Amino acid sequence: DAGITALAALSTGEKIVNPRPERRDRRRLAKAQRALARKTKGSINRAKARLTVARVYARIADRRRDHLHKVTTRLVRENQVIAVEDLTVRNMVKNRSLARAVSDASWREFRSMLEYKAAWYGRALVAVDRWFPSSRLCSRCGTLQEEMPLKVREWTCACGAVHDRDVNAAKNVLAAGLAES
């Protein structure tokens, strides 16, 4: 299960932390962009400022890519079958309040890395339908909750099971992925 606070929640209960590389360097990037905006077009100082902005962006991208490579390689080496949600990242980025966090988490790149590494290592990658109610379905008894807003991070089922929303969704995604494959 992909998320913003945790990059991914695994069915084992482990949550892989999202380092948020863009958030960490946001001040440095803003300062470099302000300096670039003050320079006159065509000047040598503007070219230098442009390179400074490019360096900050490259640092952010490199840090993000490095973390994703380490996580995806570990996941593919440890598991024979990997089930992921089929998220529409393109539509999620259109939401103004989530766009920066979704882009910083880089779910699309995470998924594409999983795809090609699973092919390299001979593992199966299964994408579960995006409309599958993974968060609202009890992984123990299978009861479907009627409504669950995003602010609810922990909930109790009628069977008595207490679920963390992300870990429960990861267990349900795995079960649905194994049923499909």
Side-chain angles (χ1 to χ4, degrees):
D1 182 50
I4 292 174
T5 53
L7 178 65
L10 307 181
S11 59
T12 59
E14 178 188 355
K15 289 186 178 183
I16 297 171
V17 71
N18 183 7
R20 298 181 179 184
E22 188 268 342
R23 190 178 194 186
R24 191 184 301 174
D25 277 343
R26 192 176 296 160
R27 272 202 185 116
R28 181 180 293 154
L29 179 62
K31 185 177 177 183
Q33 286 175 329
R34 278 194 307 271
L36 175 64
R38 284 193 298 264
K39 307 297 183 212
T40 56
K41 290 191 177 178
S43 69
I44 293 173
N45 284 334
R46 182 180 173 88
K48 289 179 193 174
R50 193 181 56 76
L51 288 176
T52 304
V53 171
R55 256 186 243 108
V56 175
Y57 273 123
R59 176 185 163 99
I60 292 168
D62 289 345
R63 203 179 305 133
R64 179 185 297 126
R65 200 174 311 109
D66 179 59
H67 180 71
L68 289 176
H69 272 300
K70 289 175 182 175
V71 168
T72 53
T73 301
R74 193 192 107 207
L75 288 175
V76 170
R77 282 183 178 171
E78 291 177 356
N79 302 295
Q80 295 296 315
V81 177
I82 301 169
V84 294
E85 290 176 300
D86 187 22
L87 298 171
T88 52
V89 177
R90 185 184 311 134
N91 292 340
M92 292 174 137
V93 172
K94 291 177 185 175
N95 181 345
R96 286 178 42 195
S97 59
L98 289 176
R100 179 178 278 163
V102 169
S103 297
D104 196 23
S106 192
W107 292 337
R108 183 67 218 148
E109 191 172 0
F110 181 69
R111 166 105 182 258
S112 64
M113 283 184 184
L114 278 176
E115 287 173 353
Y116 79 77
K117 288 180 183 184
W120 278 357
Y121 285 89
R123 309 292 199 247
L125 182 75
V126 181
V128 176
D129 182 39
R130 71 181 60 133
W131 304 114
F132 180 69
S134 60
S135 296
R136 297 183 299 132
L137 190 67
C138 176
S139 59
R140 187 177 291 174
C141 69
T143 306
L144 184 65
Q145 303 294 317
E146 288 302 313
E147 279 188 32
M148 191 177 303
L150 281 174
K151 66 180 180 181
V152 176
R153 304 315 301 165
E154 228 177 68
W155 57 279
T156 306
C157 181
C159 68
V162 178
H163 296 292
D164 177 79
R165 182 188 183 109
D166 297 330
V167 175
N168 180 58
K171 289 178 183 178
N172 287 328
V173 166
L174 178 65
L178 291 175
E180 284 183 22
S181 63

